[in-house]
Amino acid sequence: MSRFTDRVAVVTGAAQGIGAATALRLAEEGASVAVVDLTAERAQATVDAITAKGGSARAYGCDVTDYEAVDATFAAIADDFGAIHILVNNAGITRDNLFFKMPKADWDAVITVNLSSVYNCSHVVQKYMCAQKYGKIVSLSSRSALGNRGQANYAAAKAGIQGFTATLAIELGPFNVNVNAVAPGYIATSMTAATAERVGASAEDHQAEVAGRTPLRRVGQPEDIAAVVAFLASEDASYVSGQTLYVNGGAR
C-alpha cells in the first residue's frame, strides 16, 4: 500500500513498543517518518529497521515535556522533510501505585509526560497543519481512561487526552485537520511487562490471564494498534474526527 506517499509523519516515543510499530507501519505505506524519542540514539534502532526495508526515516532526540524543545525539533523536522502532515502523540510512562501511596512526584510525572506533552506537540504542529490546510493528529489514550486500580495518574492523563481530542477536532476541523485518539487495551509491551511485575507475575503469566478474559482470547500486539493509527492518519478516515477508538479485543 502507498497511502502515505509524499506524507511526513512525526511519531513520539517511537524507540519501542507501539511507537516503533507505528513508525514502521507508516513508513511501509510510504511516509517519511521523523522518529522522535528522548534521545536520537534511542530512536536510531527504529530508523534502522525502517531504512533496512527501504523506507525513509530520521531520528530526533526531544524531551516532549519541554515546549521549547518541541518547537525547535518540529522546526528542524519541517526543514529536513519540507512539511509535517501527520503527528502521532505516543510518548508515555507509568508510575503505578494505589492512590493513598502515590507520591506527588509520580502524579506530576505521569500527567506531564502523558498529557502535557500532547498539548506541547499538538500546539506546535497545528501551525504547520493549519497553514497548509491539511493534517492528521492521532493521540494514544488507553482503556485505563475508564478507571484502573493503581493507575489514578495514568487514567486521569489518558481520559484527558479524550477530552482534548474531541475539543481540538472542533477547533481545527475548519482547517482540514482531523484529530482522533486510540485507546488500547492490554498490549504486549515493556510497559505492560512492568505492570505484571508490579502485581507479582511474569509477563507471560499475566498475558495468559488477560487473554483468558478477553473475548478474542489473546492480548494485543503493538502492530494491532499501529494498524488503527495508520487508518486514522489516512484518507480512508477523512470524515472521522473527534473520536476515541477502543482497540481491546472486545473486552468490557
Side-chain angles (χ1 to χ4, degrees):
M1 293 185 290
S2 56
R3 290 189 292 184
F4 303 113
T5 299
D6 299 325
R7 299 300 187 200
V8 177
V10 178
V11 183
T12 69
Q16 60 185 355
I18 291 170
T22 298
L24 283 160
R25 178 62 183 259
L26 295 176
E28 286 171 356
E29 295 197 40
S32 296
V33 183
V35 179
V36 179
D37 212 279
L38 196 57
T39 67
E41 291 74 20
R42 284 168 56 94
Q44 190 60 45
T46 302
V47 171
D48 292 344
I50 290 170
T51 56
K53 294 183 176 182
S56 172
R58 292 184 64 167
Y60 296 85
C62 180
D63 179 354
V64 290
T65 69
D66 181 337
Y67 187 94
E68 287 70 27
V70 171
D71 197 19
T73 300
F74 281 39
I77 293 168
D79 186 58
D80 291 340
F81 289 105
I84 300 174
H85 304 104
I86 298 162
L87 168 65
V88 181
N89 287 308
N90 172 74
I93 62 170
T94 55
R95 295 289 186 271
D96 296 348
N97 215 331
L98 293 176
F99 184 66
F100 80 96
K101 296 193 292 184
M102 183 176 290
K104 177 72 161 50
D106 286 356
W107 172 271
D108 290 343
V110 169
I111 295 297
T112 300
V113 174
N114 291 278
L115 183 56
S116 296
S117 71
V118 175
Y119 163 83
N120 292 342
C121 294
S122 301
H123 194 263
V124 168
V125 85
Q126 57 86 30
K127 64 184 178 184
Y128 299 99
M129 293 181 171
C130 291
Q132 67 199 11
K133 296 293 194 294
Y134 182 90
K136 309 286 186 181
I137 299 174
V138 184
S139 301
L140 271 293
S141 179
S142 171
R143 184 260 169 241
S144 293
L146 302 176
N148 196 32
R149 182 178 174 84
Q151 288 193 319
N153 47 6
Y154 190 73
K158 294 303 187 179
I161 285 173
Q162 296 188 22
F164 177 83
T165 294
T167 302
L168 207 60
I170 295 168
E171 296 189 15
L172 299 187
F175 298 93
N176 194 34
V177 177
N178 299 67
V179 188
N180 291 288
V182 179
Y186 193 106
I187 308 299
T189 65
S190 59
M191 187 176 289
T192 50
T195 299
E197 183 179 350
R198 176 174 62 86
V199 298
S202 69
E204 293 76 14
D205 288 346
H206 200 237
Q207 289 176 21
E209 190 274 327
V210 172
R213 51 184 166 84
T214 300
L216 287 180
R217 293 298 186 266
R218 70 175 179 91
V219 298
Q221 299 297 322
E223 292 75 16
D224 293 317
I225 306 305
V228 177
V229 173
F231 163 68
L232 291 173
S234 76
E235 288 310 293
D236 292 332
S238 63
Y239 200 57
V240 180
S241 200
Q243 304 305 305
T244 296
L245 180 55
Y246 281 77
V247 185
N248 62 3
R252 288 292 184 266

